[in-house]
Amino acid sequence: MENRMTLEEEQARKGKTYKMLLWFGMISICMIFAGLTSGFIVSKKRPDWIADFNMPNSLIISTIIIILSSLTYYFAKKSIEKGSNSTGMIFLITTLVLGILFVFFQFNGFSELYSMQLVPTGPSSTVSVSFLYAFVIVHVAHLFGGLISLFTVIYNHYKQKYNPAQTLGIELSAMYWHFMDFIWVYLFLFFYFFK
C-alpha cells in the first residue's frame, strides 16, 4: 500500500524545509555580525579609538525607515492572507520604496562621515570609524538579498501566485526582512551606546 502525501501536506513539508534553510542562513549571518561586534569590543583598547564623535543623522533616519519598512511588510503579509490583494500590493511597494530609501540614507551617512574627516582607511582613519563603515557595508550587502526577494514577491503577487492559502514566498521574504531590520537596530544601538 502506497502512502501518498496530499498537496497540502507536500506544501507544508516544503515550507518547513525552506524555513529551516532560511534559519541556517540567518544564523550564519548572526555569526558574521557577532564576529564584527567582538572585534569592535576588543579594538576599544587601541590608541586610535574615537569615542566622542556623533552618529551621522542619515544613519538615525535610516534606522527609523527600516523599522517602518518592517511594519509595512507585516501589513502587506496580513493583507494578502486576508485576500486583500490590492492593499497587499500597496504595502509591498511601500516596503520596497522604504528599503531603497534605507540604502540611500546609509550611503548618505558615509558622505556625512567624510565631511567630518572620518574615513575608513588611510593615515587619518581610526579603527572605530572603520568598524562603523564595516557594519554598514556588510549589512547593506545582506539587505540586497532582501530587496531581491522583495522584488520577487512583488512580481509573484502581480502574477497572482499568492492567495490566503499560499503565502510561503511572502513568509520567507518577510522573515528575512524582519531579521535584517533587527540586525540593523542591534548594530545601531550597539555602536551608539558602546562607542
Side-chain angles (χ1 to χ4, degrees):
M1 183 172 174
E2 199 173 310
N3 187 11
R4 295 191 178 198
M5 288 191 290
T6 65
L7 183 61
E8 291 82 16
E9 290 171 335
E10 189 176 331
Q11 285 180 342
R13 177 184 274 183
K14 186 171 143 182
K16 285 181 184 177
T17 302
Y18 287 157
K19 286 177 184 176
M20 184 62 70
L21 289 172
L22 180 60
W23 274 108
F24 283 132
M26 292 188 306
I27 289 168
S28 66
I29 291 169
C30 279
M31 292 170 70
I32 291 169
F33 286 108
L36 276 172
T37 53
S38 296
F40 183 85
I41 292 167
V42 170
S43 297
K44 279 188 83 169
K45 293 179 175 52
R46 288 181 45 146
D48 61 342
W49 190 264
I50 297 178
D52 61 347
F53 77 92
N54 292 326
M55 190 71 86
N57 289 332
S58 292
L59 296 184
I60 296 168
I61 293 168
S62 70
T63 303
I64 295 166
I65 288 171
I66 201 165
I67 292 169
L68 290 174
S69 74
S70 262
L71 288 172
T72 57
Y73 215 149
Y74 171 81
F75 290 129
K77 183 176 168 288
K78 288 297 175 190
S79 297
I80 293 166
E81 286 173 347
K82 291 178 183 174
S84 182
N85 290 341
S86 59
T87 305
M89 182 62 88
I90 290 167
F91 281 122
L92 285 172
I93 291 172
T94 303
T95 305
L96 178 63
V97 169
L98 290 171
I100 293 168
L101 281 172
F102 172 80
V103 173
F104 170 79
F105 278 103
Q106 292 278 284
F107 285 110
N108 198 48
F110 287 168
S111 297
E112 288 182 44
L113 288 170
Y114 267 96
S115 69
M116 293 186 280
Q117 309 290 316
L118 298 170
V119 293
T121 60
S124 62
S125 69
T126 64
V127 69
S128 50
V129 173
S130 296
F131 267 105
L132 178 58
Y133 279 90
F135 287 158
V136 171
I137 290 169
V138 173
H139 181 265
V140 167
H142 285 95
L143 188 77
F144 276 122
L147 288 171
I148 291 168
S149 76
L150 184 53
F151 272 117
T152 304
V153 165
I154 290 170
Y155 175 78
N156 286 340
H157 186 57
Y158 175 75
K159 291 291 189 180
Q160 299 179 354
K161 293 186 177 180
Y162 301 123
N163 58 55
Q166 173 53 32
T167 59
L168 178 62
I170 298 169
E171 287 177 45
L172 294 171
S173 180
M175 277 175 65
Y176 185 75
W177 193 266
H178 297 316
F179 170 72
M180 292 312 297
D181 179 0
F182 169 78
I183 289 287
W184 176 253
V185 171
Y186 158 74
L187 290 173
F188 179 82
L189 294 174
F190 175 82
F191 200 87
Y192 190 84
F193 291 110
F194 202 75
K195 60 185 179 181

